[in-house]
Amino acid sequence: MASELRVNTLKDAAGNNSVAMQYVAEGSAKAWGHLAAGGASLPDSFNLSSIDDDGTGEYGLNYTSAMNSATYSATSTINFNHAANNNTRHLVIESKATGSVEVDGGYTAGSTAHFTAYDIETTGSVTVHGDLA
């Protein structure tokens, strides 16, 4: 009798359309955080233990469980209503380490490309994909 390879799978409610669990685990976000207006707090997050206010528009998000290396993917977004202002707000990834990700908030004004650090005045978010240590 040949041995049978068993793979854990996830199926839909009808028991069809299975996908191997390794793809579910590898494709899931390993950390995410919702940054409050002002940027110095995390009202909601996953795998983030704390946030550092490192100066005007500079924040450090610290992982509860570290990443395997600093080559993971991190993305950031910010919510901002441009109607009353010609400034464009940004929340960018400054640097990544196995224990944290650093983000910078700021704006560009008018047609200039100059980035000015600024504490975020609305909400932002960061999502991290990669391998945990």
Side-chain angles (χ1 to χ4, degrees), residues 94-121:
E94 175 189 334
S95 63
K96 301 178 293 184
T98 57
S100 65
V101 61
E102 300 292 321
V103 296
D104 291 346
Y107 66 90
T108 53
S111 61
T112 67
H114 180 73
F115 182 84
T116 302
Y118 194 80
D119 286 335
I120 63 173
E121 53 194 23

Side-chain angles (χ1 to χ4, degrees), residues 4-106:
E4 182 180 324
L5 177 63
R6 294 192 177 263
V7 176
N8 289 329
T9 61
L10 180 66
K11 296 182 179 187
D12 64 20
N16 300 312
N17 303 312
S18 66
V19 62
M21 290 302 293
Q22 79 181 60
Y23 298 113
V24 175
E26 289 175 7
S28 298
K30 300 307 185 291
W32 57 264
H34 172 83
L35 285 71
S41 68
L42 291 168
D44 200 4
S45 66
F46 171 72
N47 193 28
L48 294 174
S49 60
S50 62
I51 185 170
D52 303 331
D53 188 346
D54 298 327
T56 302
E58 298 184 15
Y59 312 102
L61 305 174
N62 303 297
Y63 301 126
T64 304
S65 296
M67 300 302 289
N68 189 46
S69 72
T71 59
Y72 55 86
S73 172
T75 56
S76 60
T77 60
I78 192 164
N79 301 322
F80 182 70
N81 181 355
H82 301 279
N85 192 315
N86 71 345
N87 295 338
T88 301
R89 299 292 194 256
H90 305 277
L91 186 64
V92 297
I93 305 299
E94 175 189 334
S95 63
K96 301 178 293 184
T98 57
S100 65
V101 61
E102 300 292 321
V103 296
D104 291 346

